[in-house]
Amino acid sequence: MIQGIGASSGIAIGKAFVLPNWEWDLPEQRIDVSDLAQEFDRLYEGIRTSKFEIEQIKGELREVVGTEESQIFDAHLAILDDPVFMNEVQGIIQRQYKAAEVAVKEAIDHFVTMFDLLDDDYMKERALDIKDVGNRLLKHLLGAPEIKLPSDTQPFILVAKEVSPSQFANMNTQRVLGIITMAGSTTSHSAIMARALGVPLVVGLEANMEEHVITGDLLIIDGDRGEVLLNPAETIVNQYEQLQQAQQDEKLRLRQLADLHAVTLDGKLIRLSANISSLKELEVALPSGALGVGLFRTEFLYMDRHDFPGEEEQFEVYRTVAERLEGQTVIVRTLDIGGDKQLDYFPIPEEENPFLGYRAIRISLDRKELFKTQLRAILRASCYGNVKLMYPLITSVEEVRAAQALLVEAKEELRQAGRDYNPHLEVGIMIEVPAAVCIADLLADEVDFFSIGTNDLVQFTLAVDRMNETIAHLYEPFHPAVLRMLKTTVEAAKRKGIPVGVCGELAGDVRALPIWLGLDVDSLSMSAHSLLQVKERLLCTKQQDSHVLLQQLMECRTSAELLDKLNEFKSQIDEQRSSGKVCGSK
């Protein structure tokens, strides 16, 4: 058994196909000064062709995995437009009289080496993006063919030093059973895409490889445990085949819960809804029993384009979602860009701390006309279903009032234009920073509902960037400080008589369910693949037991103590379920 890092869950069993490394060995080609213009023309034509290909890949990938994952290729386009990268290439051509392909290769090597030397896994992964873009450009300059996967129809497990996003995008996932790579991390673009496509992936194997994998070897990969078995015995294969079948059976079993009400054994009903960023994701969520959309991330409308979307375009999308939900709630979050979400056509000046900088509601309140365009579109869509509005990253009463004032202006503009809208549109806010928690009682007087965004709330409470691999272990959602933040927020909402939901990743973590039941939250919104697991847990739990557990959790002094109690509670529920007790009702 070879131990790596599980980057995308699932089990795959099949023959290996080893992807050759794409390494370029270019001779030192010198050019005459009279040929400089021709080399620059070749370079610019290669860039244009590369951009065209990348745009095509983005469009095709968007149909498969959705807009959010396809935006990975925005980073590739940005590299081809990056003045630092291009100045390096142009300088080598102009000052050293080297051919365009040699200049590109040297520039790639320079930046990749520089990034690889940094003690930061995120930057090391960006080095792969540079190699991917550079190889694409070199391919066009040299007229070289792409390395292709096997042309026969037999499924296989892909083995590579690393897999670039471009190679991922060109894969037929019906044939790629799973992937193992020698390098890589769980935060790489390839890992993100593997999870979106449902392809098991194990990365970071190089240090533990005692023998090379060759094409045709039989492999078993376990994306949950991060394990790879090379040419295992038939008995081992049989064991994993049974485990694989059990996973598939489990998915089918959970599917039978889709139409059940999400109610505890003692009658507590919680609305389970979906987080979406596109219409495609909505179509995945509804068959899993999602009761509406608890978080519609509108950023996808603004990305993968060259300018801001207009009111009419946004209105059509919001209306389509509202109509498709047939009366179920859709909570539309206003534009939340900045931090790790950038728009090519709306450059934000480089910031020391972008997550604490110019982003989300701060941009909306600064760009008032841009904000009102979106508000008008949401207001118009509110006539076609149960639409609610939500502001992100609120830190003060002043921000809420400023946003509400612009909403009043948007309503008046629609009234004057003779456009219909719901004058009683409900408005809520995201609780995702400690400042909002501390004044939750004041904020509750200003809005109709709260939605707790646990991703940012944990990050800001603990001062931990979870994308930083060096300190990722400190990102602890079950920290006692986080639990107190949650309790303060929910209690403030309850005292003021407004509903409170949760829409961060913690909403879909079954271990956290007794916390939400103990706090008496009204709704949970999560990714579609978590809905049925959470529902099953809910159907087998008593809220009263969760109240008792919550009191115990509040006395815990460490994350480990808190997690031990949650895991013990989870084990008790599992034992009851395995003993044959029936859970749930229509």
Side-chain angles (χ1 to χ4, degrees):
M1 190 268 289
I2 311 164
Q3 186 64 53
I5 302 168
S8 181
S9 65
I11 291 172
I13 304 170
K15 296 293 185 67
F17 173 77
V18 181
L19 189 68
N21 286 334
W22 196 347
E23 299 292 343
W24 302 95
D25 185 17
L26 302 177
E28 280 283 332
Q29 292 178 262
R30 298 280 178 171
I31 58 173
D32 293 330
V33 66
S34 59
D35 293 329
L36 281 176
Q38 180 181 341
E39 289 305 301
F40 280 117
D41 285 343
R42 292 180 60 229
L43 174 64
Y44 300 145
E45 179 58 30
I47 291 171
R48 281 192 294 271
T49 306
S50 298
K51 284 183 175 180
F52 178 76
E53 281 187 351
I54 293 171
E55 290 283 7
Q56 279 190 315
I57 290 172
K58 273 181 61 181
E60 293 169 1
L61 189 63
R62 187 168 58 246
E63 298 300 317
V64 179
V65 299
T67 300
E68 194 166 349
E69 286 76 14
S70 69
Q71 289 157 7
I72 286 169
F73 289 93
D74 288 338
H76 289 204
L77 292 169
I79 291 170
L80 290 172
D81 287 326
D82 190 318
V84 176
F85 178 73
M86 294 315 303
N87 286 343
E88 179 80 11
V89 176
Q90 292 166 334
I92 294 172
I93 295 173
Q94 191 161 19
R95 291 190 299 270
Q96 301 180 35
Y97 301 108
K98 293 186 177 180
E101 56 268 26
V102 176
V104 169
K105 176 66 167 58
E106 290 187 7
I108 295 171
D109 291 345
H110 168 72
F111 286 107
V112 168
T113 300
M114 182 173 65
F115 279 19
D116 278 342
L117 289 174
L118 297 175
D119 188 21
D120 186 321
D121 286 340
Y122 178 82
M123 296 307 293
K124 292 179 187 294
E125 292 297 340
R126 301 299 72 79
L128 177 55
D129 288 332
I130 292 175
K131 281 196 280 188
D132 193 13
V133 173
N135 280 331
R136 181 173 298 281
L137 183 51
L138 282 171
K139 180 192 73 172
H140 292 302
L141 290 171
L142 294 168
E146 289 198 50
I147 295 176
K148 295 187 179 293
L149 297 178
S151 57
D152 59 50
T153 58
Q154 186 68 32
F156 58 88
I157 292 176
L158 186 65
V159 181
K161 171 75 173 178
E162 52 198 3
V163 179
S164 72
S166 291
Q167 290 168 326
F168 235 118
N170 288 321
M171 284 181 194
N172 178 350
T173 54
Q174 300 300 314
R175 296 178 53 221
V176 180
L177 301 170
I179 303 171
I180 65 172
T181 65
M182 303 305 107
S185 74
T186 58
T187 62
S188 71
H189 283 162
S190 294
I192 293 169
M193 293 174 70
R195 290 192 289 270
L197 291 166
V199 177
L201 170 65
V202 176
V203 301
L205 289 161
E206 191 161 38
N208 298 322
M209 292 289 290
E210 295 182 357
E211 57 181 307
H212 292 295
V213 179
I214 62 175
T215 295
D217 279 342
L218 179 63
L219 295 177
I220 297 175
I221 68 174
D222 187 334
D224 296 285
R225 297 172 179 269
E227 297 174 352
V228 176
L229 285 77
L230 176 59
N231 292 318
E234 186 176 351
T235 54
I236 301 296
V237 174
N238 291 337
Q239 291 175 14
Y240 273 90
E241 285 177 341
Q242 292 174 12
L243 184 57
Q244 188 181 50
Q245 184 62 50
Q247 291 181 349
Q248 294 170 355
D249 292 343
E250 177 69 2
K251 290 180 181 179
L252 291 174
R253 186 186 66 80
L254 287 173
R255 202 73 169 182
Q256 298 173 9
L257 304 177
D259 294 331
L260 295 181
H261 297 304
V263 60
T264 65
L265 291 172
D266 51 356
K268 166 64 176 177
L269 179 67
I270 290 187
R271 175 175 289 274
L272 300 183
S273 55
N275 296 338
I276 70 167
S277 58
S278 67
L279 297 173
K280 183 180 181 66
E281 291 178 35
L282 177 62
E283 297 306 321
V284 173
L286 290 178
S288 296
L291 290 181
V293 171
L295 173 61
F296 184 6
R297 304 182 185 95
T298 59
E299 293 77 54
F300 88 98
L301 279 171
Y302 292 76
M303 297 176 175
D304 188 25
R305 57 189 304 127
H306 303 293
D307 200 0
F308 292 105
E311 178 183 328
E312 201 65 31
E313 180 182 351
Q314 293 190 59
F315 161 66
E316 290 293 341
V317 174
Y318 305 147
R319 184 188 68 176
T320 300
V321 173
E323 291 178 334
R324 181 69 181 85
L325 287 173
E326 300 178 338
Q328 296 287 0
T329 301
V330 52
I331 299 177
V332 183
R333 184 178 68 186
T334 59
L335 182 61
D336 186 8
I337 57 168
D340 60 342
K341 291 173 282 192
Q342 305 291 328
L343 305 180
D344 292 340
Y345 55 86
F346 182 61
I348 296 174
E350 187 173 341
E351 300 173 298
E352 288 292 330
N353 296 294
F355 283 96
L356 305 180
Y358 188 57
R359 56 174 291 209
I361 196 65
R362 298 167 183 176
I363 292 177
S364 294
L365 294 179
D366 183 51
R367 296 289 298 271
K368 295 180 174 59
E369 291 305 317
L370 173 68
F371 189 33
K372 284 198 292 183
T373 297
Q374 184 175 33
L375 293 177
R376 288 194 302 269
I378 296 170
L379 282 164
R380 289 172 58 193
S382 67
C383 294
Y384 295 87
N386 189 4
V387 177
K388 298 181 182 182
L389 173 67
M390 182 164 65
Y391 305 130
L393 204 75
I394 292 295
T395 62
S396 68
V397 169
E398 291 90 339
E399 285 174 333
V400 177
R401 291 178 177 175
Q404 294 291 68
L406 290 171
L407 182 63
V408 170
E409 290 183 20
K411 289 180 178 179
E412 178 59 20
E413 290 167 4
L414 290 177
R415 188 191 66 78
Q416 292 182 9
R419 297 283 195 179
D420 292 332
Y421 64 90
N422 177 9
H424 306 297
L425 175 75
E426 291 189 23
V427 177
I429 59 171
M430 296 276 289
I431 301 292
E432 48 191 336
V433 297
V437 174
C438 292
I439 59 169
D441 57 331
L442 306 180
L443 293 170
D445 289 330
E446 307 288 328
V447 296
D448 299 304
F449 64 90
F450 284 167
S451 186
I452 302 173
T454 58
N455 300 359
D456 269 344
L457 184 59
V458 174
Q459 178 170 251
F460 291 137
T461 298
L462 303 182
V464 173
D465 178 4
R466 61 180 181 156
M467 299 302 290
N468 184 332
E469 288 288 323
T470 305
I471 58 171
H473 64 285
L474 298 176
Y475 181 88
E476 181 47 76
F478 297 103
H479 193 289
V482 175
L483 181 60
R484 281 159 173 71
M485 288 279 182
L486 297 171
K487 187 171 186 289
T488 298
T489 301
V490 177
E491 289 179 346
K494 294 294 180 180
R495 284 197 304 271
K496 297 294 183 175
I498 66 171
V500 56
V502 185
C503 65
E505 285 186 14
L506 208 54
D509 190 328
V510 294
R511 295 173 300 175
L513 183 60
I515 294 176
W516 310 131
L517 289 172
L519 291 173
D520 199 30
V521 303
D522 300 289
S523 61
L524 300 173
S525 188
M526 63 201 72
S527 61
H529 75 268
S530 299
L531 280 165
L532 294 176
Q533 293 175 334
V534 171
K535 180 181 282 190
E536 180 181 48
R537 179 68 47 177
L538 183 71
L539 294 171
C540 298
T541 305
K542 289 183 179 179
Q543 185 179 32
Q544 184 56 45
D545 293 341
S546 299
H547 284 313
V548 174
L549 176 63
L550 182 64
Q551 295 305 313
Q552 298 172 4
L553 296 178
M554 295 303 300
E555 297 174 2
C556 292
R557 293 175 175 269
T558 68
S559 302
E561 290 177 30
L562 207 152
L563 263 175
D564 282 346
K565 289 189 178 298
L566 286 172
N567 287 328
E568 182 182 352
F569 186 85
K570 179 177 177 294
S571 296
Q572 291 171 359
I573 301 297
D574 288 338
E575 287 175 11
Q576 292 171 11
R577 185 162 59 88
S578 62
S579 67
K581 291 191 177 182
V582 179
C583 300
S585 62
K586 282 282 185 183

